[in-house]
Amino acid sequence: MWKTITLFSLFIVINGQCSCSKFTNETNCYAYGYCLFQNGACKEAECEAIPYEGKCKSPRCLWKDDKCSTFKADEQTCSALLPQLCTKYEGCHYDYSNLKCVVTNDCSSLHIDQCNGKLLNGNFCVGDPFENKCQEMTDCKSLTTEFMCLSQSPHCKYENSVCSPQVCTEIKDEFSCSFLDECQWNNERCQYKNCQSIKFGYLCNGDTCGFDQNECFTCVEQYGYQLFVGLISLLFIL
């Protein structure tokens, strides 16, 4: 029989974030990430110190009862999250069978229709319905099936039975190039982003580059993982 399953699809971007201490200007400090400007310095904000909802964001912070607090995954806090917020917080996944957000402890223990969300270490669960398999994803190379790897395109590529990170210079179209924060489309080809060549702050700020002192600079703290979560529907025969 034919069956449709809706799964979370993960897209991984290999980069990091600028340290808040890199920003010396108060305006630029507030414009970037979780940074707050206090006592003449830009620093990473403790959730409890964030005074407004706009900067109280997942996966570290949760806005509740008109205040920002550090998120701690447990049955009570996960179950209180709306479906669209559930998988943005570490330690939670959405159970489509029972239509509720619950705690995530181990990807391999999840049924395929529960295979989504983050573990407490920040890694995501990714599944293959044809193999009926859910596993923890640390990077592209950790994905063990072709389906899992191709579901991460253009961030991962599958060649010679191996899943590996996409290389900017191998991407042939502007649309795919634009998905990767570390890549930029220039002179009709995809290249690694040259932060110093970017002239405007709104084009600069991201995981790869930061803007301060009227200049765009390269973030030092790279090689972490940022993930974008979307939804895909799969139709297959059981």
Side-chain angles (χ1 to χ4, degrees):
M1 63 178 292
W2 290 94
K3 185 176 180 180
T4 300
I5 288 183
T6 302
L7 298 173
F8 277 86
S9 175
L10 312 178
F11 298 96
I12 189 166
V13 182
I14 302 175
N15 52 44
Q17 284 189 324
C18 287
S19 169
C20 294
S21 63
K22 298 291 182 181
F23 299 93
T24 59
N25 178 278
E26 181 174 358
T27 300
N28 295 333
C29 173
Y30 278 109
Y32 192 85
Y34 296 105
C35 304
L36 288 178
F37 199 82
Q38 298 174 325
N39 301 320
C42 186
K43 59 185 69 177
E44 279 77 16
E46 295 293 332
C47 298
E48 285 72 15
I50 297 175
Y52 41 89
E53 186 174 0
K55 275 193 174 290
C56 184
K57 300 176 182 178
S58 63
R60 294 192 302 113
C61 307
L62 176 67
W63 187 264
K64 186 178 180 181
D65 299 328
D66 293 324
K67 62 181 180 181
C68 190
S69 58
T70 301
F71 182 84
K72 296 180 181 178
D74 56 37
E75 291 293 346
Q76 183 176 5
T77 54
C78 288
S79 63
L81 296 174
L82 296 174
Q84 62 267 32
L85 293 177
C86 177
T87 56
K88 293 183 178 181
Y89 285 93
E90 294 177 359
C92 303
H93 76 273
Y94 195 74
D95 182 349
Y96 281 94
S97 297
N98 297 298
L99 301 179
K100 63 180 181 179
C101 185
V102 294
V103 172
T104 302
N105 294 314
D106 175 27
C107 297
S108 63
S109 68
L110 299 178
H111 189 270
I112 193 66
D113 64 355
Q114 302 170 330
C115 188
N116 59 74
K118 293 181 184 179
L119 299 175
L120 289 174
N121 61 10
N123 293 335
F124 268 71
C125 299
V126 60
D128 184 338
F130 301 103
E131 298 287 339
N132 195 29
K133 182 178 182 180
C134 182
Q135 71 170 76
E136 179 180 351
M137 179 180 181
T138 57
D139 56 20
C140 294
K141 293 180 180 180
S142 71
L143 299 176
T144 57
T145 72
E146 181 177 5
F147 179 89
M148 290 179 184
C149 185
L150 293 178
S151 72
Q152 311 314 307
S153 178
H155 306 280
C156 300
K157 61 180 180 179
Y158 193 79
E159 294 179 347
N160 301 318
S161 300
V162 175
C163 188
S164 58
Q166 183 60 271
V167 178
C168 294
T169 53
E170 294 179 355
I171 299 175
K172 303 303 181 182
D173 64 282
E174 183 176 3
F175 181 76
S176 297
C177 184
S178 66
F179 270 102
L180 302 179
D181 186 80
E182 69 269 28
C183 303
Q184 66 181 24
W185 188 258
N186 190 27
N187 295 326
E188 299 302 315
R189 59 182 178 175
C190 191
Q191 303 172 331
Y192 281 98
K193 187 176 288 183
N194 180 2
C195 300
Q196 286 72 26
S197 69
I198 301 174
K199 304 301 181 184
F200 302 101
Y202 72 94
L203 294 174
C204 172
N205 273 344
D207 296 318
T208 303
C209 306
F211 191 80
D212 192 57
Q213 299 292 337
N214 294 318
E215 293 182 351
C216 187
F217 61 90
T218 301
C219 295
V220 176
E221 297 75 10
Q222 297 191 19
Y223 314 112
Y225 299 95
Q226 299 294 313
L227 296 126
F228 169 79
V229 183
L231 286 173
I232 56 174
S233 293
L234 304 172
L235 185 66
F236 61 96
I237 299 176
L238 290 180

